[in-house]
Amino acid sequence: MAQTNKLKIFNDPIYGFISTPNELIFNLIAHPYFQRLRRISQMGLSYLVYPGAHHTRFHHALGCMHLMRKAVEILRFKQVPITEEEENGLLCAILLHDIGHGPFSHALEHHLVLGLHHEELSLKLMEQLNDEFEGALDMAITIFKKQHPKKFLNQLVSSQLDMDRLDYLRRDSFYTGVTEGNISSERLITMLNVKQNELVVEEKGLYSVEKFLMARRFMYWQAYLHKTSLVAEQLLVRVIQRGRELYNKGVELHASPVLMYFMERKSTTDMDATALEYFSRLDDVDVLSALKSWQFHPDFVLSELSKIILNRNLLKIKLKKKPLNEEKFQQKREEYKKSFGLNDTEVDYLVFKGEISNQAYDADDQNIMILAKNGKLIDVARASDHLNLKALSERVVKYYACYPKASV
């Protein structure tokens, strides 16, 4: 059913008023697939660390679209040819780039919808929308799949300096209060240009790029990979894993029909029309509702994991730069196995270890190129005189172990 184009302006706390440029964009925003993003947390369970981080993928998608309009305006001002059709493709692609995120965004990726990345789900939903909108998203899908011959169009949607990153760093910094992550996205966009069909940054924007990369590093270690967020999201994964294990054994489990649909499925790589329809109704509310029910489940592990998250009585977590002592870890494991009367499978849900890594700048993946005044293109890591920038190209790995407090 066609939407009536009434609402044309959103008031965003970051950028102020964001307007919908045309009826197609408005109707995409009004579609249930997109409205679902209001119920998908942008930063998973990070609000357990930063109470303000309750913003959603809906906020983020609108912000990305706003920045994309600014970028197109700047590039056209610099005589970069972008047609109306290409602009519309860019706006639709960036608006819908995260439409395939599941509950709590990255936290449950690959654990609810097994075997599919959120970008693959975004593409499937975009293709479904394209059928509904009679081919209006053809250009957007070409750009999203990085297949447009104008490479810089693809890079505006997905690269190391795309509109996605320019929005989420600034937005997540704002909502968490982690000021080190704040960047001037408008300043960076003003410095964009195109050279040899590639998206580049003019030399005078070098320091802005440096700040952007440093801000990304700060946000990863202070927010996205904060140890409390890490343990909370690992517990959320284990709740789903335990629920699926019990269900496969024939244990009765109460949850919403859409959540149970994905708990039942052993593989979702095929993702037919029925699965896609169920996914389009799956959000944070389904998972939280399940936790509220499962906290009273007779299974000790499922009940404890649910209560631990709901009451924020999280496991202890140790985070180190070197691999953890295996002997000490096994001692902890045996200690809690005896304390709670758990078997080997059950204790793994409450005592576990792993590793995390971060690389602020990947010098091997679509490098950020600086356009020098003499017209030459230089990789930002070489152009910079900042001693830390080369270090940001190196992958940093940290190791963690999680286990219950003295009494769960």
Side-chain angles (χ1 to χ4, degrees), residues 72-83:
V72 169
E73 182 185 324
I74 288 293
L75 292 176
R76 278 183 176 155
F77 178 76
K78 295 177 181 179
Q79 308 303 310
V80 176
I82 300 174
T83 68

Side-chain angles (χ1 to χ4, degrees), residues 74-226:
I74 288 293
L75 292 176
R76 278 183 176 155
F77 178 76
K78 295 177 181 179
Q79 308 303 310
V80 176
I82 300 174
T83 68
E84 290 296 323
E85 184 188 10
E86 288 165 351
E87 178 183 14
N88 211 41
L90 284 169
L91 295 178
C92 292
I94 199 67
L95 184 73
L96 302 175
H97 79 284
D98 274 346
I99 203 169
H101 266 297
F104 295 100
S105 294
H106 294 287
L108 288 176
E109 191 154 0
H110 304 304
H111 297 286
L112 267 180
V113 182
L114 302 171
L116 281 180
H117 191 270
H118 78 270
E119 289 180 350
E120 295 173 272
L121 287 162
S122 291
L123 179 59
K124 288 179 181 293
L125 290 170
M126 286 170 73
E127 289 170 342
Q128 179 70 34
L129 286 169
N130 199 31
D131 289 340
E132 289 184 37
F133 286 88
E134 300 177 341
L137 300 179
D138 283 345
M139 177 73 75
I141 289 171
T142 298
I143 293 171
F144 184 80
K145 291 164 73 174
K146 302 181 182 179
Q147 292 176 351
H148 198 284
K150 290 185 178 179
K151 189 177 177 182
F152 69 90
L153 297 181
N154 308 328
Q155 291 171 322
L156 283 166
V157 173
S158 179
S159 66
Q160 291 200 76
L161 195 61
D162 55 29
M163 299 307 106
D164 174 31
R165 294 185 184 192
L166 291 186
D167 180 80
Y168 79 62
L169 283 175
R170 187 167 176 190
R171 188 169 300 277
D172 296 349
S173 169
F174 176 87
Y175 280 99
T176 58
V178 179
T179 54
E180 291 87 350
N182 193 20
I183 59 166
S184 175
S185 41
E186 286 92 344
R187 165 74 179 168
L188 276 162
I189 288 171
T190 304
M191 296 296 109
L192 292 178
N193 211 326
V194 173
K195 177 85 171 180
Q196 298 172 9
N197 201 28
E198 299 255 359
L199 190 67
V200 299
V201 180
E202 293 166 357
E203 189 174 359
K204 56 189 174 182
L206 176 59
Y207 295 127
S208 295
V209 177
E210 288 181 356
K211 185 177 187 302
F212 161 77
L213 292 173
M214 292 299 291
R216 191 162 184 267
R217 175 178 178 270
F218 288 136
M219 283 300 291
Y220 265 86
W221 291 122
Q222 287 188 242
Y224 308 132
L225 297 176
H226 187 286

Side-chain angles (χ1 to χ4, degrees), residues 36 39-47 57 101-109 112 233 236 282-289 291 309:
R36 168 184 162 274
R39 304 185 300 278
I40 302 291
S41 173
Q42 169 78 5
M43 291 182 65
L45 289 173
S46 291
Y47 60 78
R57 290 280 156 183
H101 266 297
F104 295 100
S105 294
H106 294 287
L108 288 176
E109 191 154 0
L112 267 180
E233 293 182 1
L236 191 61
L282 183 67
D283 56 48
D284 293 8
V285 180
D286 296 289
V287 175
L288 287 173
S289 175
L291 293 182
I309 296 170

Side-chain angles (χ1 to χ4, degrees), residues 3 13 69 142 185 214 238 259 298 322 327 342 345 348 397:
Q3 297 285 339
R69 291 183 77 186
T142 298
S185 41
M214 292 299 291
R238 280 160 173 76
L259 181 58
K322 294 181 180 179
E327 188 178 338
L342 305 175
T345 301
D348 287 341
V397 180

